Amino acid sequence: MAYTDDAVKAKLSALNETQEGIVTVAQWVMFHRRHAERTAQLWLQKLRDSPAPKRLNLIYLANEVAQQSRARRKEDFLIAFSPIIAEATATAYKGASNDIQQKLRRVVEVWRQRAIFEPPIQDAVEARVDEIDKSRSIGKKPPLGGSLFSSSSGSTPSELQPLVPLQVALSKSTVASGASATTANAEYDKMHDPSTPLPTPPVHAARLSQLLKALANAESSVSEVIKSRLALIDGLEKLLETNRSALAKEQSLATQLSERRSETEAKKREVEDGIMRGLSAEDSPAAHLGDSEGDPVTRPEVEALTPPPVEALTPVGSPKQELQEMDFAAQNNAQSHEPTAGFSLSGFGFTAEAVQSSLQDDPNGLHSKKRKVVHEEEDYAKFASGDLDADVAELLQQESNLPK
């Protein structure tokens, strides 16, 4: 079968997962190694358009062709696959099932163990695969009880959210540009190695053409890296300016709070000094502080405390007792119809006429007391030796010695 684009597409479409099918297509591709670059481009396009299981078969085909090329020292396909193998592997790995991803990782490990591709190319392939794994783990929800600072998108502060896509784009472009630049520089050094004999002019021209394309791809990749990095720097500068403005406001607020704290401490010391000096509440500086409207604080009026009235005590020798004594004397005077010898009511502030007038005006008052006193007349001698006044006791003694 002659080499054409349709022939290559037909071979790739008929590829199955059996070892015999992969080896048969690989031998046909290697037979047309002069068209290695075109075959690689068609292979990449077919891989992009195929489902996940079919992509795995295409990676197996590239693995077979690359290993056979390395074993036979035919590097045409190694050179053709080097710029695109990282992207192709990532395309096949992304979105595949866990089983297919494990098989793809096994192929990548074989490439490293057998040194199929140059170390920079191998590093680029592994970096792309690792990046897909990291992005997949970030997209998952953190388990319950996990750390709040786990690497999840929800833990990224809102101020840094605009920088996340810029950093991701920069990382992707850096990986791609690193692989393409490494491949282009390797081809350039190989072409200009003095120890390498010059090929025939047609071969030399073809290799120079491939080198030009590799250099162009590498230059374009590096330009993307520069563009992505400039966008990230611009975002970082905006974030830095925002933080500088916020820092100035926070420093001003800190200064204000410090001044107010010092002022409050000074007032507190002033009040405490006034308390230690024994100042009254009106003289204290705190008494002159106003309310929220600036008016002075007025103290409420307090009603003065007044002592309760004290009940007057009846003194010894009260008027009641004197009336009883006067009644007793008037009784004796009325029986004898003459003044009692040695007895005078003037000493008590009373006269005989006043007593008689009182007896006539109030016959029930004094006469009732008269009967009581007469009834208890025999007890006066007994009370004479008590705590009575000495003059009164003498009068009572004289009354008791009068003839009846």
Side-chain angles (χ1 to χ4, degrees), residues 6-251:
D6 292 337
V8 175
K9 292 178 182 179
K11 290 289 185 181
L12 296 178
S13 298
L15 186 65
N16 54 48
E17 60 184 1
T18 63
Q19 182 177 1
E20 181 181 358
I22 293 174
V23 171
T24 301
V25 176
Q27 290 177 353
W28 185 89
V29 168
M30 291 184 64
F31 179 79
H32 298 283
R33 63 178 180 273
R34 291 181 300 174
H35 307 284
E37 183 178 356
R38 181 58 182 169
T39 302
Q41 295 298 327
L42 294 173
W43 171 83
L44 179 61
Q45 186 63 39
K46 183 64 177 179
L47 186 141
R48 291 173 178 171
D49 299 337
S50 300
K54 188 68 174 182
R55 291 175 181 175
L56 179 61
N57 296 335
L58 293 171
I59 293 294
Y60 283 157
L61 175 63
N63 173 65
E64 181 67 21
V65 172
Q67 290 202 45
Q68 291 295 332
S69 298
R70 176 66 67 183
R72 300 178 183 181
R73 300 184 182 275
K74 303 294 183 181
E75 299 182 357
D76 298 333
F77 281 101
L78 294 176
I79 296 174
F81 280 132
S82 293
I84 63 174
I85 193 62
E87 180 184 354
T89 306
T91 303
Y93 191 85
K94 186 176 182 180
S97 63
N98 184 61
D99 182 53
I100 294 178
Q101 287 182 348
Q102 294 300 323
K103 294 178 180 179
L104 290 172
R105 277 195 169 274
R106 176 56 183 165
V107 173
V108 175
E109 292 176 0
V110 170
W111 291 346
R112 175 171 289 279
Q113 294 172 0
R114 301 182 182 181
I116 302 301
F117 297 101
E118 298 293 332
I121 304 300
Q122 182 69 32
D123 294 341
V125 172
E126 295 176 358
R128 293 292 296 272
V129 173
D130 292 339
E131 182 181 353
I132 294 174
D133 287 339
K134 290 179 181 179
S135 62
R136 184 179 58 180
S137 62
I138 290 176
K140 292 182 178 180
K141 294 182 179 180
L144 296 177
S147 173
L148 294 177
F149 303 96
S150 60
S151 58
S152 61
S153 57
S155 63
T156 303
S158 59
E159 296 81 2
L160 300 179
Q161 288 290 347
L163 301 178
V164 173
L166 298 178
Q167 182 62 52
V168 172
L170 177 60
S171 300
K172 291 182 178 180
S173 58
T174 301
V175 172
S177 65
S180 59
T182 302
T183 302
N185 289 328
E187 292 182 7
Y188 182 85
D189 294 338
K190 184 178 180 181
M191 290 287 295
H192 294 78
D193 187 4
S195 61
T196 302
L198 290 176
T200 60
V203 175
H204 194 193
R207 290 183 179 181
L208 288 175
S209 177
Q210 292 180 355
L211 178 59
L212 286 175
K213 292 181 180 180
L215 291 172
N217 291 335
E219 184 180 2
S220 177
S221 300
V222 174
S223 298
E224 289 295 327
V225 173
I226 294 173
K227 181 180 177 180
S228 300
R229 196 173 297 279
L230 288 175
L232 179 60
I233 291 175
D234 183 62
L236 290 172
E237 287 178 349
K238 291 180 180 179
L239 180 61
L240 181 61
E241 184 63 26
T242 302
N243 281 272
R244 284 176 177 172
S245 177
L247 177 62
K249 294 180 181 180
E250 291 164 356
Q251 288 177 341

Side-chain angles (χ1 to χ4, degrees), residues 327 356 358-360 362-373:
D327 187 15
Q356 292 177 357
S358 176
L359 291 174
Q360 292 175 359
D362 189 9
N364 296 326
L366 293 178
H367 284 290
S368 61
K369 294 180 180 180
K370 170 184 175 183
R371 290 192 299 271
K372 180 179 179 180
V373 172

Side-chain angles (χ1 to χ4, degrees), residues 197-397:
L198 290 176
T200 60
V203 175
H204 194 193
R207 290 183 179 181
L208 288 175
S209 177
Q210 292 180 355
L211 178 59
L212 286 175
K213 292 181 180 180
L215 291 172
N217 291 335
E219 184 180 2
S220 177
S221 300
V222 174
S223 298
E224 289 295 327
V225 173
I226 294 173
K227 181 180 177 180
S228 300
R229 196 173 297 279
L230 288 175
L232 179 60
I233 291 175
D234 183 62
L236 290 172
E237 287 178 349
K238 291 180 180 179
L239 180 61
L240 181 61
E241 184 63 26
T242 302
N243 281 272
R244 284 176 177 172
S245 177
L247 177 62
K249 294 180 181 180
E250 291 164 356
Q251 288 177 341
S252 176
L253 179 61
T255 302
Q256 181 186 25
L257 294 175
S258 178
E259 292 175 354
R260 291 185 175 183
R261 180 177 58 82
S262 300
E263 179 184 356
T264 304
E265 288 180 351
K267 288 183 180 180
K268 178 175 177 292
R269 287 194 298 269
E270 184 179 356
V271 172
E272 291 176 349
D273 292 342
I275 294 174
M276 296 301 295
R277 290 194 300 268
L279 295 179
S280 63
E282 291 78 6
D283 296 334
S284 175
H288 302 289
L289 296 176
D291 56 6
S292 58
E293 285 77 11
D295 298 334
V297 178
T298 58
R299 295 183 178 277
E301 295 182 359
V302 181
E303 183 180 357
L305 297 176
T306 57
V310 181
E311 183 179 359
L313 300 176
T314 304
V316 179
S318 62
K320 181 178 180 181
Q321 182 180 359
E322 293 179 356
L323 286 176
Q324 292 177 354
E325 295 174 354
M326 182 179 64
D327 187 15
F328 180 77
Q331 178 185 1
N332 294 333
N333 188 22
Q335 293 177 358
S336 60
H337 302 283
E338 60 181 2
T340 303
F343 180 79
S344 176
L345 295 176
S346 61
F348 295 94
F350 297 92
T351 60
E353 292 80 2
V355 172
Q356 292 177 357
S357 176
S358 176
L359 291 174
Q360 292 175 359
D361 294 338
D362 189 9
N364 296 326
L366 293 178
H367 284 290
S368 61
K369 294 180 180 180
K370 170 184 175 183
R371 290 192 299 271
K372 180 179 179 180
V373 172
V374 171
H375 180 71
E376 296 178 354
E377 181 179 357
E378 66 273 13
D379 297 330
Y380 281 106
K382 179 173 59 177
F383 287 110
S385 61
D387 295 333
L388 296 177
D389 185 80
D391 295 333
V392 176
E394 184 179 358
L395 292 175
L396 293 176
Q397 183 67 30

